[in-house]
Amino acid sequence: MAQPQQSEEAGKPPLRVGMVGYAFMGAAHSQGWRTVGRVFDLPRRPVLTAICGRNADAVRRAADRHGWAAAETDWRTLIERDDVDLVDICTPGDSHAEIAVAALAAGKHVLCEKPLANTVEEAQVMARAAEEAYGRGQLAMVGFNYRRVPATALAHRMVAEGRLGTLRHVRVTYLQDWLVDPEFPLTWRLRRELAGSGSLGDLGAHIVDLAQYLAGEPLAGVSALTETFVRERPLAGAVKGLSAVSGTGTGTGQVTVDDAALFTGRFTSGALASFEATRYATGRKNSLRIELNGERGSLAFDLERLNELVYHDGTEPGAHAGFRRILVTEPDHPYLDAWWPPGHGLGYEHTFVHQARDLVHAIAEGSRPEPSFADGLQVQRVLAAVEESAEKNSVYTPIAV
Ligand code: SOE
């Protein structure tokens, strides 16, 4: 039996975590919880108390592999444990609402993977439950981890400081290619009843949240196209990497979600945005790129070069002006004071460490973590407007408030 992972700050009061789910996001979040207390000076000591999954053998192996002290096979048991303070939900979207609402009712703090839910209605119920729980001192966060890349956090700081001036454009793409092979099986991410949507909710949710976070304002409306390129896929087949869940059964099944979504948007300030989310960008593995253009300058970020932020200071005289690369590894850059000396970069996994750090501090201080469930609900409303617009041949669709 693995011992509870303890940070070196053993004197601090524990924050005992119970996780539901143990696939890709379960592994990434586990890494965050295991590492955060060893890097950051935290007010509470994260303890990996229990992990939950339906398959007893698989979740036992996951507990041993990822350092969880106990394994459960029923999330209802997990959320009732009196040695769990925080429930971390790393399951497909169809279970987010039920687990989060029950965990909040059981007196727990909650971290829920993105997208918050599979529908606006579910997200509304979750946001209401989080607001009521806040009154009881319980906190809830949704896991839009790309806000916690030091370079995007620096971009947010620079936009908020006014370095870009009035914002005119945000253009953001999130490109993957794991569905290009039509023989890739019909896993849960391709079934609406489990995933809620396809690229739109999986990748589009990230870029909508990131665009609104960096712009510092919500979208007011969108015009959209979506497409499902391969509508039928094999039910069975082993898959590697993204989803360990192989399909089951023989023959083929219907893909019931979008494969790609392209949409434009208008922010409340009038700034314009363009978005692309696809799993068919052959050769692009996990390519998230964003650029913001303002009256006084521009910023650009590429997840494939995540230790860098490209900045153009439009106030520089023409002879010296140009895009320059900021290496985001200095101690006064977000999160970096706890890591390595300048020039020693970080990676994708560290966004989950930073997510855990910020949540632990919010819980210790009793302050609302960001992004909140209300932020997650707003993203859900944008996704719903995208689908509504796409169904009406890209008619501009306002975002319901
Ligand atoms: C999809 O392939 C995925 O795993 C997303 O679900 C994650 O949120 C993203 O961080 C990586 O890609």
Side-chain angles (χ1 to χ4, degrees):
M1 170 85 73
Q3 292 307 312
Q5 287 290 326
Q6 296 192 0
S7 75
E8 284 150 15
E9 303 295 321
K12 300 285 177 61
L15 180 68
R16 301 162 300 179
V17 184
M19 176 179 287
V20 188
Y22 54 84
F24 178 8
M25 283 302 117
H29 284 226
S30 298
Q31 175 96 340
W33 290 117
R34 273 199 316 275
T35 306
V36 67
R38 288 173 167 73
V39 172
F40 291 92
D41 179 14
L42 297 176
R44 299 277 294 269
R45 173 170 50 87
V47 175
L48 282 71
T49 299
I51 189 169
C52 179
R54 285 170 294 194
N55 180 307
D57 292 339
V59 73
R60 176 71 272 162
R61 287 195 300 274
D64 293 343
R65 180 183 180 90
H66 298 304
W68 293 86
E72 295 279 2
T73 55
D74 182 346
W75 63 263
R76 294 166 187 83
T77 307
L78 179 93
I79 66 170
E80 293 301 336
R81 287 180 64 130
D82 58 12
D83 59 351
V84 166
D85 305 308
L86 163 67
V87 174
D88 186 354
I89 303 169
C90 293
T91 57
D94 66 312
S95 56
H96 288 185
E98 186 181 18
I99 298 172
V101 170
L104 289 165
K108 312 299 186 187
H109 305 292
V110 173
L111 171 59
C112 183
E113 253 298 318
K114 44 58 62 182
L116 182 64
N118 282 359
T119 65
V120 169
E121 293 70 25
E122 287 175 348
Q124 285 172 324
V125 170
M126 296 169 80
R128 270 198 301 275
E131 195 54 32
E132 287 160 15
Y134 181 69
R136 301 191 297 270
Q138 296 165 245
L139 302 173
M141 180 199 262
V142 58
F144 287 112
N145 60 299
Y146 294 124
R147 291 184 178 211
R148 295 182 156 93
V149 178
T152 56
L154 176 62
H156 177 260
R157 186 194 295 178
M158 291 173 72
V159 173
E161 286 168 355
R163 287 189 174 269
L164 301 194
T166 304
L167 194 63
R168 300 300 186 201
H169 288 285
V170 176
R171 70 184 63 74
V172 54
T173 60
Y174 197 168
L175 314 177
Q176 295 180 347
D177 70 356
W178 54 278
L179 279 185
V180 167
D181 179 357
E183 292 307 308
F184 187 94
L186 195 76
T187 60
W188 69 266
R189 291 177 190 269
L190 305 178
R191 298 167 54 193
R192 178 171 287 274
E193 70 275 15
L194 299 177
S197 63
S199 287
L200 180 60
D202 190 21
L203 308 179
H206 272 304
I207 57 180
V208 166
D209 176 71
L210 193 58
Q212 295 185 135
Y213 165 65
L214 295 182
E217 60 172 311
L219 286 163
V222 292
S223 299
L225 289 172
T226 60
E227 187 53 69
T228 303
F229 301 116
V230 175
R231 295 182 178 273
E232 202 165 336
R233 287 183 174 271
L235 286 176
V239 294
K240 294 210 178 300
L242 276 176
S243 160
V245 177
S246 304
T248 55
T250 58
T252 62
Q254 290 301 307
V255 174
T256 51
V257 296
D258 60 280
D259 283 330
L262 275 67
F263 51 106
T264 56
R266 184 190 305 279
F267 285 100
T268 49
S269 68
L272 296 180
S274 63
F275 301 83
E276 184 177 358
T278 182
R279 293 159 166 168
Y280 285 72
T282 310
R284 297 294 182 193
K285 300 307 173 184
N286 194 40
S287 171
L288 190 164
R289 297 177 180 168
I290 187 165
E291 180 165 320
L292 297 93
N293 306 131
E295 270 185 320
R296 294 164 48 86
S298 292
L299 285 167
F301 169 76
D302 179 349
L303 186 61
E304 293 179 355
R305 304 174 70 94
L306 70 81
N307 291 287
E308 302 173 12
L309 183 65
V310 175
Y311 171 47
H312 172 84
D313 179 350
T315 65
E316 282 187 310
H320 309 157
F323 280 89
R324 61 184 175 84
R325 179 179 70 116
I326 302 170
L327 187 59
V328 189
T329 59
E330 295 299 316
D332 60 356
H333 283 145
Y335 307 106
L336 264 303
D337 59 343
W339 291 103
W340 319 118
H344 299 70
L346 299 181
Y348 168 77
E349 70 186 68
H350 300 100
T351 65
F352 297 95
V353 181
H354 300 160
Q355 180 171 269
R357 174 218 174 271
D358 292 348
L359 183 52
V360 172
H361 276 284
I363 289 170
E365 294 148 16
S367 58
R368 287 180 193 272
E370 292 185 1
S372 65
F373 277 18
D375 296 323
L377 168 58
Q378 201 279 337
V379 170
Q380 218 62 48
R381 288 190 166 122
V382 175
L383 304 184
V386 166
E387 291 195 312
E388 184 180 340
S389 173
E391 284 160 13
K392 300 176 184 172
N393 281 328
S394 300
V395 164
Y396 182 77
T397 303
I399 312 291
V401 178

